[in-house]
Amino acid sequence: STRYAMLRDDRESLANIIDNIGTQENVEHVRIFNKKGLIMFSSNHSETGRLLDKNAAGCIECHSGPVPSATLGDMKQARRFINEKGKDVIAITAPIYNEPGCVQAACHIHTAEQKILGTLDIGLSAVPLVNNLAVMRSRMVIFSIMVLLVTVGGVAALLRRYVFIPLRLLADFTEKAIAGVEQKIPPCAAEIETLAGNIRSLVGELISLRQEKARWKKEE
């Protein structure tokens, strides 16, 4: 591992590890730079030995104040940018802390008070993430539409079963009752049946009044 190679000051193994990681799919860059911002190891050999600007992305998060920050939150360790190749990259910057094993190593040249020895910076292509998010977004849209259709269909079925059909039966019952056709109250919900019974009673009274009025006219 990189930690073991650092503890043994095995620079060749460390360089090989970084090269191997850099050849992995969707890995844009892997580099280690010291506290001064000098790139010591990189999967891109052309930038080895280059000094980074402290105001650059990935550096400014720690060096924004007069005293560099020794720790970073999880969100501040990540950044997204377009690299020199025009690719969308998500990079993670992790500080390399001065551990007791580092201080006790024979090759160690730093004091125990120095908290950070350098930084590990890994950049990954954001294309797979963007594609996955697009697929997830499409699936969520399809799922939402399906849920909407099922919900609308269910509500429509309930309305038809418990509202529209009973109202239609009630309307037919009312028309036939007014026409004087004797019929049974349609089997519906209790409220609809009660309303149908009331309508039949009213229609019966109306028919009785009509018959009474007709009888009075004959007597006159």
Side-chain angles (χ1 to χ4, degrees):
S1 66
T2 55
R3 182 177 181 276
Y4 181 76
M6 289 180 185
L7 289 175
R8 293 181 58 86
D9 194 26
D10 190 347
R11 295 174 178 265
E12 183 177 356
S13 296
L14 183 58
N16 289 332
I17 292 172
I18 291 178
D19 288 340
N20 291 334
I21 296 175
T23 58
Q24 300 299 314
E25 185 179 5
N26 298 322
V27 176
E28 293 297 327
H29 71 260
V30 182
R31 56 194 179 190
I32 295 177
F33 44 90
N34 62 16
K35 189 176 181 180
K36 296 180 180 179
L38 182 66
I39 300 177
M40 305 299 295
F41 302 93
S42 175
S43 57
N44 182 8
H45 296 170
S46 62
E47 65 178 9
T48 302
R50 183 188 304 174
L51 188 65
L52 294 178
D53 184 3
K54 292 183 179 181
N55 294 321
C59 300
I60 189 64
E61 287 79 6
C62 289
H63 294 275
S64 57
V67 179
S69 176
T71 58
L72 280 178
D74 293 338
M75 295 305 296
K76 289 186 178 181
Q77 291 182 7
R79 67 188 189 279
R80 185 175 179 179
F81 64 97
I82 304 297
N83 64 8
E84 63 277 2
K85 298 179 182 179
K87 295 183 178 181
D88 192 3
V89 177
I90 296 177
I92 300 174
T93 302
I96 301 173
Y97 293 104
N98 189 5
E99 301 178 358
C102 299
V103 177
Q104 297 170 3
C107 63
H108 196 75
I109 59 175
H110 306 286
T111 62
E113 289 74 20
Q114 185 173 338
K115 294 183 178 180
I116 296 178
L117 303 180
T119 304
L120 172 65
D121 186 39
I122 301 178
L124 305 175
S125 174
V127 174
L129 176 61
V130 173
N131 292 339
N132 290 335
L133 289 176
V135 172
M136 292 178 61
R137 189 182 300 111
S138 300
R139 291 178 178 175
M140 286 298 297
V141 170
I142 295 174
F143 177 76
S144 300
I145 293 175
M146 292 177 61
V147 171
L148 179 62
L149 292 176
V150 171
T151 303
V152 172
V155 172
L158 291 174
L159 288 175
R160 183 177 183 276
R161 174 68 178 82
Y162 294 103
V163 178
F164 298 143
I165 292 179
L167 288 177
R168 186 179 64 188
L169 294 175
L170 180 61
D172 294 340
F173 174 81
T174 303
E175 291 177 359
K176 292 179 180 179
I178 293 175
V181 178
E182 186 68 23
Q183 57 182 329
K184 294 182 179 180
I185 296 176
C188 301
E191 293 80 2
I192 300 295
E193 291 181 357
T194 302
L195 182 58
N198 294 335
I199 291 175
R200 184 165 65 177
S201 299
L202 291 174
V203 170
E205 293 179 2
L206 179 60
I207 293 175
S208 298
L209 289 175
R210 288 178 179 176
Q211 292 175 350
E212 186 70 19
K213 184 178 180 180
R215 186 173 59 82
W216 288 346
K217 286 184 178 181
K218 288 181 180 180
E219 291 178 354
E220 292 177 356

